[in-house]
Amino acid sequence: MDIRRALTPAELSAAESLFDGPARQEWSERFLTAPGHLMLIAYVDGVPAGMVSGIEMNHPDKGTEMCLYELSVDEGYRRRGIGRALTLALADEAKERGCYGMWVGVDTDNEAALATYDAAGARDEGVFSMRGWPLSQQP
Ligand SMILES: CC(C)(COP(=O)(O)OP(=O)(O)OC[C@H]1O[C@@H](n2cnc3c(N)ncnc32)[C@H](O)[C@@H]1OP(=O)(O)O)[C@@H](O)C(=O)NCCC(=O)NCCS
């Protein structure tokens, strides 16, 4: 397995089966050029098998932390350590960028994700409730 940072819309497009929906050119370009945004893709024999995305969050009294935004491994490649490896790779990148920590929100019944983050050294930092404001037709 080879983990590489995606640098072009074509790389995102080639990995779009790992996303919830198709990658749009405009959104891909925006993602790739936005400061503090990154996606790491795991390739097995050249095939995109998993991805993790991260976004740096800044605050005047806190410094910078990494939010693990999305983690996904293709069903055919699960339980081989790819999810854990991607999570650790993002944590390493966050350390290199000077982040003081990394966090992720997980559905409390997502056993695979919880086991993966535990295996990658995450601490349980408690349960929280989420609220949202839909502002357009987009998800
Ligand atoms: C969560 C997900 C990324 C895990 O990827 P993966 O490559 O299968 O995970 P790994 O093989 O690296 O497993 C890491 C650890 O979690 C455990 N694990 C993985 N899937 C599990 C499952 N379904 N049930 C219980 N434990 C599981 C593994 O046994 C391993 O533990 P170990 O290191 O002690 O052996 C994958 O299941 C997935 O893409 N799920 C759908 C998307 C999703 O839920 N993403 C997370 C959103 S927060």
Side-chain angles (χ1 to χ4, degrees):
M1 187 203 8
D2 185 21
I3 295 179
R4 298 197 302 270
R5 182 175 173 190
L7 298 174
T8 65
E11 288 168 283
L12 299 183
S13 182
E16 69 181 6
S17 63
L18 301 165
F19 307 158
D20 295 331
R24 284 205 208 167
Q25 178 82 14
E26 176 198 345
W27 294 346
S28 293
E29 283 169 8
R30 189 166 172 183
F31 179 89
L32 292 167
T33 54
H37 287 53
L38 75 156
M39 183 178 296
L40 305 176
I41 299 178
Y43 295 90
V44 176
D45 298 328
V47 176
M51 69 85 189
V52 66
S53 56
I55 297 177
E56 286 178 36
M57 302 174 70
N58 300 291
H59 207 270
D61 64 328
K62 294 185 176 67
T64 306
E65 67 180 329
M66 181 67 75
C67 168
L68 189 162
Y69 192 171
E70 296 272 2
L71 173 72
S72 167
V73 173
D74 183 274
E75 277 188 31
Y77 292 94
R78 288 183 189 171
R79 307 299 292 258
R80 298 190 197 180
I82 295 174
R84 178 174 177 272
L86 282 164
T87 304
L88 288 171
L90 183 64
D92 283 347
E93 179 72 30
K95 267 185 236 159
E96 277 176 28
R97 291 169 176 236
C99 296
Y100 68 83
M102 182 166 96
W103 69 278
V104 62
V106 193
D107 287 327
T108 52
D109 61 354
N110 190 340
E111 290 181 17
L114 288 169
T116 299
Y117 298 136
D118 285 352
R123 290 189 315 202
D124 185 349
E125 295 191 346
V127 178
F128 70 97
S129 180
M130 193 161 143
R131 301 288 185 275
W133 287 258
L135 301 176
S136 77
Q137 302 288 3
Q138 283 171 208

